[in-house]
Amino acid sequence: MNLFRGDAHKLYLKLKKTHEADIPFGELEEISEVTEVQSFYSDLDSNTLEKISYRMIKEKNGSGMIPIFVSTGPWLLFLFSDQLQEFIFTKGMTWGIVFAVAYIIVLTLSVILHFREKAWASFHIAIIEDILDSR
């Protein structure tokens, strides 16, 4: 079931189809995006690239605020659970359902955002390090 496969496997399958169809890999959006980023960073001097790399590392490590939010959110709700239950359940069950659905959506989107940000930062860091190593 490909639904639960990661992005790397989906890219592999796309590359395999492209290869079988005898289409150049450079025409794929994923590959052309990498080429574009590499080209941009290659035009910069090493000193600037090092500074960008440091900033990217900061961004990668700074995206840890979302897991803190995810792990502390339930504790905050637990602290105010009596007041929260009173508010939600005295207003009717629909408020409870709305609150639960909204809370789960916010947590889910936060986790997805966190891992996407870390992935993009790692992507840029790897490209910059490769360029600096080749110089």
Side-chain angles (χ1 to χ4, degrees), residues 1-6 9-10 13:
M1 182 181 257
N2 286 335
L3 176 66
F4 297 110
R5 299 284 176 119
H9 187 72
K10 290 176 187 173
L13 293 175

Side-chain angles (χ1 to χ4, degrees), residues 1-134:
M1 182 181 257
N2 286 335
L3 176 66
F4 297 110
R5 299 284 176 119
D7 289 343
H9 187 72
K10 290 176 187 173
L11 177 62
Y12 160 73
L13 293 175
K14 192 171 188 178
L15 290 169
K16 187 176 173 187
K17 281 183 186 177
T18 302
H19 180 68
E20 289 169 356
D22 206 25
I23 299 171
F25 290 128
E27 293 183 16
L28 287 175
E29 180 183 345
E30 295 85 352
I31 302 299
S32 63
E33 183 177 46
V34 173
T35 305
E36 181 182 325
V37 173
Q38 282 177 322
S39 175
F40 174 75
Y41 286 140
S42 292
D43 292 340
L44 301 176
D45 62 284
S46 295
N47 188 32
T48 303
L49 274 179
E50 285 177 357
K51 291 177 180 158
I52 292 171
S53 175
Y54 299 145
R55 183 63 188 202
M56 290 291 179
I57 291 169
K58 179 207 172 282
E59 292 299 322
K60 180 180 174 184
N61 294 331
S63 63
M65 296 305 291
I66 292 173
I68 291 171
F69 166 71
V70 169
S71 62
T72 59
W75 284 106
L76 182 64
L77 294 176
F78 179 70
L79 288 173
F80 299 105
S81 63
D82 289 337
Q83 296 91 339
L84 195 58
Q85 284 179 9
E86 184 179 315
F87 173 76
I88 290 173
F89 294 118
T90 59
K91 302 289 184 185
M93 193 58 172
T94 55
W95 280 102
I97 293 171
V98 168
F99 174 79
V101 168
Y103 184 73
I104 289 170
I105 288 172
V106 167
L107 289 180
T108 303
L109 292 176
S110 296
V111 170
I112 291 169
L113 175 67
H114 166 73
F115 286 108
R116 289 182 65 94
E117 288 295 320
K118 283 187 76 113
W120 276 110
S122 296
F123 169 78
H124 284 269
I125 290 167
I127 290 174
I128 291 169
E129 287 176 352
D130 285 345
I131 291 170
L132 287 172
D133 288 344
S134 69

